[in-house]
Amino acid sequence: MQNQYRVFSASHIGQRNENQDAFAVLTHSKCDELLCVVADGMGGHEGGAFAAKKVVETCKVKWEESESVIDPDTFLNELAFCAHEAVIDSGNAKFDQAQSLVSVLYIHLEKSIYVSMHVGDCRTIQFANKNFIKRTIDQSLAQLHALKGDISDDEIASHPDQNKIYSSIGGSEPPSPIIEHYSPDGDTFLICSDGFWELFNQHALGVAIEKIESAEALEELIEQQVSGKTHHDNTTAIIVKLPPSEDSSSMFVPPSLAAGHQESEVEGSLRTEGALPAESSLSAESSKPAEGALSAEGSTSSNDKNTSTKLTTYHYKFLLGLGSIIFVIALTYYFLSSTDSTHDLPEPLPTSGKTSPSKQSSEQPSGQAPDQKPEQTSEQNKTTPSEPQGKSSKEAIGTQASTGESGNIETRRQTPNIPILNIDDAIEKTEDVIRQEGGLGENDTLKVTTRGNAIGNSQVIKFQQFYKDLPVYGAQTITLVRDGKIANIDSKTLNDIDIDISPALSAKEAVILAENEIGTRLNVLEAPQLIIFKKEDSYLLIWRAEVEKASGERVMLFLDSTNALIVEEISLHISGGQEEISFEDIASEDEASENEKD
């Protein structure tokens, strides 16, 4: 028997009232092109299902219109914007909030072309012999945490911000589709909604996928994983297993590549499965894509071809450019305005209690770390991520990803697209770009504070501005590296600092005077740090000190080094474990600091 490629699919309602996922597997008559689509609806009851169905219908229409895909990148981008138009132009006020996330994989087996497009957190993942090769990058805040290096890739599934999505189909802003290209080294592709990939860690997912050889086996795998949950999301997956590369010209088209939208709560999955020898004859019907995205009545109207509006070349290029800009702004805006990691300087927060946009379920009991996971209770949980406790429906957050204070330092955004040799080259060229555009003064430098994890072809680098070796509070820069280029730089730097960096008061003296001012003893928890602080239009030399008051409250004090006045006070919610630092320690730190300057 000739080599075959096989396609298996399944969809499960999970513990939801309806299945808002939709999917399709489409082929062309030459039997060498394949399009796999998974759409994850969002937007309340029926709205999400409606949007996901529209996305799949649009993909079907565009696929039928093209006898063959000449330029996969352009074709896939057009799919995203046509689907967006189809959702927002539905004319049904009931679905005004309807949105969908999607991942689409295009395969031209004979030419070894593998290209994906995605919006949101539906994923396309490539494996080789159960080993992970590459995956798409989610457009969620949890993914940004992982890119920043605050959490691991496997912790995304259970992170409180996993449901916060900043790009979608049908939203108030055009989508920001991301195109990914894959090498021919892999033998298996997985296209799935987040309900599927959240069930596994990366290693366990590769092992599980390798064992799947039928749609029934995929259904059983999903059922097994979902059955122990209490509120798991809809779960949809398409698995494509490729023939060995040395015989890639031998291929097949499954006879019943189905596309489905499951409307009922009946256990069981829609499936796609098939295997034909390469020499099998194909009828004219094989040139048509499979029936997809079934309506509530279980049929697809012939008029649905008109649901996707054709974009002119001008509109397409305009929307593509706008969408790309929005994606970059969302990514970098989040990093610049989010709370810093423990080794960075925290932004001052207003005392009114304003919080970040994390959903309510992200709030932790006192004494529990923000990213602490529920205790695992079964052997199975050792190989799968913890189930998100009370995870709510997805939220579209747009570009306003964070409400954190960013001080009064203006953000400058650039998209230079500068080629780089490596990350060290990106670090050097980032400072060059900022200095050339006047963002740094003669005595200023940038120092790397965080090298984010490289995920796919993207990596984020975070910098802190220093003036004469003193950190400038809030003056940070985020560089996004993608595809061997500096794709974006968001810089918050100052070029007019001119201040004497010799403090009039030592840290010990400043703390004692602050005690007298507030009338309570202050236990110093960490050696105070001397920093540059911008206050309105002036620059101050500040002692930044983490202290504990007699009441037990822990705060971060910003003390003017000339008079010990409290410029800022930030309340800290930190569980025990830190030791008090004596004034002798502070004095030693002051002396060491002075010697270093000398």
Side-chain angles (χ1 to χ4, degrees):
M1 181 177 289
Q2 298 287 337
N3 287 322
Q4 304 168 344
Y5 75 74
R6 294 150 291 155
V7 181
F8 315 113
S9 64
S11 186
H12 193 288
I13 194 172
Q15 283 83 36
R16 301 299 196 202
N17 293 327
E18 64 174 341
N19 193 343
Q20 297 193 345
D21 287 355
F23 70 95
V25 181
L26 308 174
T27 64
H28 271 151
S29 58
K30 292 183 180 179
C31 311
D32 54 7
E33 290 181 286
L34 180 69
L35 193 75
C36 300
V37 185
V38 171
D40 179 1
M42 54 189 289
H45 181 62
E46 294 185 1
F50 168 81
K53 172 186 169 185
K54 280 293 184 183
V55 169
V56 172
E57 287 178 348
T58 301
C59 291
K60 177 184 174 182
V61 169
K62 300 303 294 182
W63 186 257
E64 289 176 335
E65 291 176 350
S66 62
E67 293 183 0
S68 181
V69 175
I70 299 175
D71 182 349
D73 290 33
T74 300
F75 175 76
L76 292 174
N77 268 302
E78 188 174 355
L79 283 185
F81 292 112
C82 286
H84 178 72
E85 292 289 313
V87 173
I88 64 177
D89 288 346
S90 64
N92 190 333
K94 181 180 179 180
F95 301 134
D96 281 347
Q97 302 302 316
Q99 298 175 57
S100 181
L101 316 173
V102 67
S103 192
V104 182
L105 175 66
Y106 168 78
I107 294 177
H108 195 305
L109 194 56
E110 185 178 11
K111 296 181 180 179
S112 296
I113 297 175
Y114 312 97
V115 187
S116 73
M117 177 277 292
H118 77 285
V119 175
D121 63 355
C122 290
R123 290 182 179 178
T124 292
I125 310 174
Q126 184 185 33
F127 299 92
N129 297 323
K130 77 183 178 184
N131 297 315
F132 170 84
I133 296 181
K134 184 177 181 179
R135 74 163 174 85
T136 50
I137 304 300
D138 306 335
Q139 294 175 313
S140 70
L141 290 195
Q143 176 69 84
L144 297 183
H145 289 304
L147 282 169
K148 189 179 177 184
D150 293 340
I151 62 174
S152 70
D153 209 34
D154 285 334
E155 290 176 309
I156 293 176
S158 56
H159 195 277
D161 286 339
Q162 167 53 18
N163 73 329
K164 295 192 179 300
I165 307 296
Y166 55 81
S167 183
S168 64
I169 301 290
S172 58
E173 300 171 341
S176 303
I178 300 178
I179 302 295
E180 294 283 0
H181 293 256
Y182 303 84
S183 73
D185 298 333
D187 56 20
T188 302
F189 281 97
L190 168 67
I191 309 93
C192 63
S193 61
D194 67 322
F196 187 82
W197 61 258
E198 285 180 352
L199 294 169
F200 307 87
N201 62 41
Q202 188 165 282
H203 174 72
L205 181 57
V207 173
I209 293 303
E210 184 188 35
K211 297 177 180 178
I212 299 300
E213 293 295 338
S214 69
E216 289 80 8
L218 180 56
E219 291 174 1
E220 291 174 6
L221 175 65
I222 296 175
E223 179 64 35
Q224 179 185 17
Q225 296 294 320
V226 172
S227 61
K229 309 294 183 182
T230 57
H231 41 252
H232 194 69
D233 200 0
N234 308 147
T235 302
T236 300
I238 300 173
I239 298 174
V240 181
K241 296 201 171 186
L242 305 176
S245 58
E246 63 268 20
D247 196 11
S248 61
S249 60
S250 298
M251 61 198 72
F252 78 97
V253 178
S256 58
L257 291 175
H261 173 75
Q262 186 173 340
E263 295 285 340
S264 68
E265 298 183 27
V266 178
E267 292 288 337
S269 309
L270 301 171
R271 33 177 174 242
T272 299
E273 180 185 4
L276 281 177
E279 66 269 22
S280 295
S281 61
L282 299 170
S283 67
E285 287 296 314
S286 299
S287 64
K288 298 179 180 180
E291 293 299 317
L294 299 179
S295 66
E297 294 76 28
S299 63
T300 303
S301 170
S302 60
N303 292 329
D304 287 344
K305 293 183 180 180
N306 296 324
T307 60
S308 178
T309 304
K310 289 186 177 180
L311 298 178
T312 65
T313 302
Y314 172 80
H315 290 153
Y316 164 69
K317 290 182 177 179
F318 172 76
L319 288 174
L320 177 59
L322 180 61
S324 300
I325 292 172
I326 290 171
F327 166 68
V328 170
I329 290 175
L331 179 65
T332 51
Y333 182 91
Y334 166 74
F335 280 118
L336 287 175
S337 55
S338 62
T339 301
D340 294 338
S341 54
T342 56
H343 57 275
D344 295 328
L345 298 176
E347 297 286 355
L349 298 177
T351 56
S352 60
K354 182 184 292 186
T355 61
S356 69
S358 299
K359 59 181 180 293
Q360 292 181 352
S361 62
S362 68
E363 296 177 2
Q364 301 291 334
S366 177
Q368 181 175 339
D371 291 333
Q372 185 174 340
K373 308 294 185 305
E375 196 171 316
Q376 295 174 333
T377 59
S378 68
E379 190 67 24
Q380 178 180 329
N381 286 339
K382 293 181 181 179
T383 59
T384 60
S386 301
E387 181 182 7
Q389 298 300 308
K391 180 179 175 182
S392 61
S393 299
K394 291 187 175 65
E395 302 175 36
I397 59 175
T399 57
Q400 302 302 315
S402 174
T403 57
E405 296 295 316
S406 57
N408 45 358
I409 304 177
E410 180 184 358
T411 300
R412 297 180 301 277
R413 295 186 171 92
Q414 301 180 64
T415 54
N417 284 321
I418 299 175
I420 58 169
L421 300 175
N422 48 44
I423 292 300
D424 290 335
D425 190 32
I427 292 171
E428 182 178 343
K429 288 181 177 177
T430 294
E431 181 167 340
D432 290 342
V433 169
I434 295 176
R435 195 173 294 281
Q436 288 172 9
E437 59 96 22
L440 292 172
E442 181 181 352
N443 296 309
D444 300 315
T445 58
L446 292 183
K447 295 184 180 181
V448 176
T449 58
T450 303
R451 291 195 190 200
N453 296 332
I455 301 180
N457 56 1
S458 301
Q459 187 168 357
V460 171
I461 312 168
K462 186 173 182 179
F463 302 82
Q464 172 73 48
Q465 179 182 355
F466 282 75
Y467 173 78
K468 295 182 178 179
D469 291 330
L470 290 184
V472 181
Y473 185 76
Q476 298 166 346
T477 293
I478 298 294
T479 292
L480 173 64
V481 175
R482 182 189 295 127
D483 291 330
K485 295 181 180 180
I486 297 178
N488 188 81
I489 299 175
D490 271 26
S491 56
K492 296 173 64 174
T493 56
L494 301 163
N495 63 2
D496 60 346
I497 303 174
D498 185 10
I499 186 173
D500 183 358
I501 61 171
S502 301
L505 296 173
S506 68
K508 176 181 177 180
E509 292 169 336
V511 170
I512 292 175
L513 290 175
E515 285 182 328
N516 296 333
E517 179 186 348
I518 62 179
T520 184
R521 178 158 158 45
L522 299 175
N523 297 328
V524 180
L525 302 176
E526 292 185 358
Q529 182 184 26
L530 197 62
I531 64 172
I532 308 295
F533 190 98
K534 184 177 183 182
K535 185 71 172 179
E536 297 177 350
D537 294 328
S538 301
Y539 294 106
L540 305 176
L541 195 61
I542 296 291
W543 284 110
R544 171 181 175 267
E546 185 176 329
V547 302
E548 182 179 59
K549 296 181 180 179
S551 63
E553 180 187 8
R554 298 189 177 196
V555 298
M556 185 74 72
L557 295 181
F558 293 77
L559 306 176
D560 193 324
S561 65
T562 60
N563 52 27
L565 292 177
I566 299 176
V567 178
E568 292 282 351
E569 178 176 335
I570 302 174
S571 180
L572 302 174
H573 302 284
I574 304 175
S575 58
Q578 291 176 282
E579 298 180 357
E580 177 182 345
I581 297 177
S582 67
F583 282 132
E584 288 73 18
D585 294 329
I586 297 177
S588 298
E589 182 73 20
D590 290 341
E591 184 178 351
S593 177
E594 290 298 325
N595 291 337
E596 186 176 332
K597 291 177 185 178
D598 295 339

